[in-house]
Amino acid sequence: MVYHGMISREEADQLLSQAEGSYLIRESQRQPGTYTLALRFGNQTRNFRLYHDGKHFVGEKRFESIHDLVTDGLITLYIETKAAEYIAKMTINPIYEHVGYTTLNQEPTLKKLLPLSPEAPDGPAPAKDDNNAEERLTSLVRRATLRESDLAPKYEKVHNFKVHTFRGPHWCEYCANFMWGLIAQGVKCADCGLNVHKQCSKVVPNDCQPDLRHVKKVYSCDLTTLVKAHNTKRPMVVDMCIQELEARGLQSEGLYRISGFSELIEDVKLAFDRDGEKADISSNAYEDINIISGALKLYFRELPIPLITYDAHPRFIEAAKITDAEKRLESLHEALKLLPPAHCETLRYLMAHLKRVTQYEKENLMSSENLGIVFGPTLMRAPELDAMTALNDIRYQRLVVETLITHEDVLF
């Protein structure tokens, strides 16, 4: 029987002393109602606090049964005990540096894997005739041989690692060592598919190249992830909506202030999520220009990290509180440097557009102040603050956007 009720550590040790790998569950005498897994390994009994939420788990791993938990635990203990010195050195000479992004188009051995593209004689390109060629390449080599557009900037992006259970044998794509355990053997980047040990994930460079197979939507997607996945300077939804607005909406009264029909705005969102840059937002599909402006505002509202990021938000608010106009501009210029490059480029493009909107103020009745009121809370949502602080920030958010519009040629 696995469960032995409320017994002491000493009693558990005596019961398990006969067999290596034996285990039992006991209720704690010091804290009744809490349970401990006692496991015999290395001629000593080890005790682990046991939790249960429908599955048994210790730490971040969850198991269907105690047997699976113990099996995984024994594997991990054995590896960490017998190969501790080796594990500590795993990240010292990673293969990642030799076939990762840092040597894009520079590794001679990679050039032998794929034929040269006639359009780019100095770099490798995927073979089009052999359908199995790409499947034979690991995701690491696939990323190493990606051709990037010269027009798109090389934005830095951290990997979006999630604990992952691999089916069958897997090797770390950073250190090339085996990933051990029954479940949750390592982590996988949700954006590019890179598979590494948890400890290796801490030293992997911030060079994630998102794969469209993993990035399946446009709205509610991290901005840098989206532009890197599509290899563009800015999100295509921003470029396309602004182009459409400037083609037929600059003189529309109340542009951005008047809301379009919410169901049709949702249709535009679904079109971008489904079709990407092929989405039809022309006047033939959406005659009311306020639907397009509403879709653009919705995109910014649904960003998981606001265009003016949570980290940079306090610096922008501090700048807005400065009464001296020249010093305020200097402070805003410094605050802009805190934004991720893709965020800063998108903000620059948007502010230039909004300034062009103000040039038609007589027709559309939208001044930089009015646009600041509309876009302030949309572009710089506050971090978790108390209600009074958030309310006070609204006027400074308006002032930030108003200043960015008025002085976009100086600030960017």
Side-chain angles (χ1 to χ4, degrees), residues 242-315:
I242 286 178
Q243 289 164 12
E244 193 68 25
L245 286 160
E246 295 198 351
R248 59 186 176 99
L250 289 178
Q251 299 185 53
S252 177
E253 183 176 332
L255 184 65
Y256 286 116
R257 179 177 56 80
I258 297 175
S259 298
F261 191 41
S262 59
E263 287 190 9
L264 292 178
I265 291 174
E266 193 69 21
D267 282 347
V268 175
K269 170 186 172 180
L270 294 174
F272 275 113
D273 283 341
R274 181 183 63 247
D275 304 324
E277 61 187 13
K278 295 180 180 179
D280 181 8
I281 58 171
S282 66
S283 57
N284 294 329
Y286 302 100
E287 184 178 356
D288 182 2
I289 196 64
N290 295 311
I291 294 168
I292 308 304
S293 63
L296 181 60
K297 289 188 293 181
L298 180 63
Y299 170 75
F300 288 120
R301 281 200 304 273
E302 293 194 354
L303 283 174
I305 299 174
L307 188 60
I308 294 178
T309 62
Y310 294 125
D311 289 341
H313 183 277
R315 288 289 295 272

Side-chain angles (χ1 to χ4, degrees), residues 142-370:
R142 178 188 61 76
R143 283 194 308 280
T145 55
L146 281 174
R147 293 172 57 216
E148 297 186 42
S149 169
D150 292 335
L151 299 176
K154 296 175 175 60
Y155 295 133
E156 182 179 272
K157 180 189 177 312
V158 298
H159 289 274
N160 181 20
F161 286 120
K162 307 288 186 185
V163 176
H164 189 77
T165 295
F166 299 95
R167 304 301 177 190
H170 264 75
W171 282 261
C172 175
E173 292 181 326
Y174 182 79
C175 70
N177 289 288
F178 183 65
M179 301 172 77
W180 59 86
L182 285 185
I183 69 167
Q185 303 95 329
V187 294
K188 184 184 188 79
C189 179
D191 297 330
C192 73
L194 183 69
N195 305 319
V196 296
H197 292 110
K198 184 179 178 182
Q199 59 266 47
C200 289
S201 69
K202 299 173 184 176
V203 292
V204 171
N206 296 335
D207 56 3
C208 175
Q209 179 60 50
D211 188 333
L212 285 174
R213 290 178 297 180
H214 300 287
V215 180
K216 300 184 183 297
K217 58 184 179 180
V218 172
Y219 280 68
S220 303
C221 176
D222 173 71
L223 190 148
T224 303
T225 299
L226 184 69
V227 297
K228 283 184 71 71
H230 289 270
N231 207 21
T232 57
K233 290 179 69 174
R234 297 172 296 272
M236 91 282 286
V237 61
V238 174
D239 281 10
M240 290 175 63
C241 285
I242 286 178
Q243 289 164 12
E244 193 68 25
L245 286 160
E246 295 198 351
R248 59 186 176 99
L250 289 178
Q251 299 185 53
S252 177
E253 183 176 332
L255 184 65
Y256 286 116
R257 179 177 56 80
I258 297 175
S259 298
F261 191 41
S262 59
E263 287 190 9
L264 292 178
I265 291 174
E266 193 69 21
D267 282 347
V268 175
K269 170 186 172 180
L270 294 174
F272 275 113
D273 283 341
R274 181 183 63 247
D275 304 324
E277 61 187 13
K278 295 180 180 179
D280 181 8
I281 58 171
S282 66
S283 57
N284 294 329
Y286 302 100
E287 184 178 356
D288 182 2
I289 196 64
N290 295 311
I291 294 168
I292 308 304
S293 63
L296 181 60
K297 289 188 293 181
L298 180 63
Y299 170 75
F300 288 120
R301 281 200 304 273
E302 293 194 354
L303 283 174
I305 299 174
L307 188 60
I308 294 178
T309 62
Y310 294 125
D311 289 341
H313 183 277
R315 288 289 295 272
F316 279 88
I317 295 297
E318 289 171 12
K321 292 179 179 179
I322 298 173
T323 53
D324 184 277
E326 187 173 339
K327 290 182 178 179
R328 183 192 305 149
L329 284 178
E330 291 176 0
S331 185
L332 279 174
H333 183 68
E334 291 302 310
L336 285 168
K337 295 177 183 178
L338 299 178
L339 295 177
H343 283 242
C344 192
E345 165 58 24
T346 304
L347 183 62
R348 180 202 66 77
Y349 188 74
L350 176 64
M351 293 301 109
H353 160 66
L354 294 181
K355 189 167 187 176
R356 287 191 289 274
V357 171
T358 64
Q359 292 170 358
Y360 291 83
E361 182 182 348
K362 288 184 178 179
E363 292 81 14
N364 60 39
L365 307 181
M366 295 302 292
S367 63
S368 58
E369 181 180 358
N370 290 338

Side-chain angles (χ1 to χ4, degrees), residues 2 27 29 67 82 128 145 169 172 212 250 257 271 312 344 389:
V2 175
E27 185 175 0
Q29 291 181 328
H67 179 269
K82 302 295 183 181
K128 296 182 179 179
T145 55
C172 175
L212 285 174
L250 289 178
R257 179 177 56 80
C344 192
T389 304

Side-chain angles (χ1 to χ4, degrees), residues 2-3 24-26 33-38 47-53 55-59 63 65-66 69-70:
V2 175
Y3 180 61
L24 59 82
I25 297 173
R26 63 182 180 85
T34 62
Y35 299 89
T36 298
L37 170 67
N47 293 277
F48 303 92
R49 176 66 63 84
L50 188 65
Y51 301 89
H52 189 268
D53 62 352
K55 292 185 178 181
H56 304 285
F57 66 99
V58 171
F63 301 85
S65 68
I66 290 294
L69 186 157
V70 170

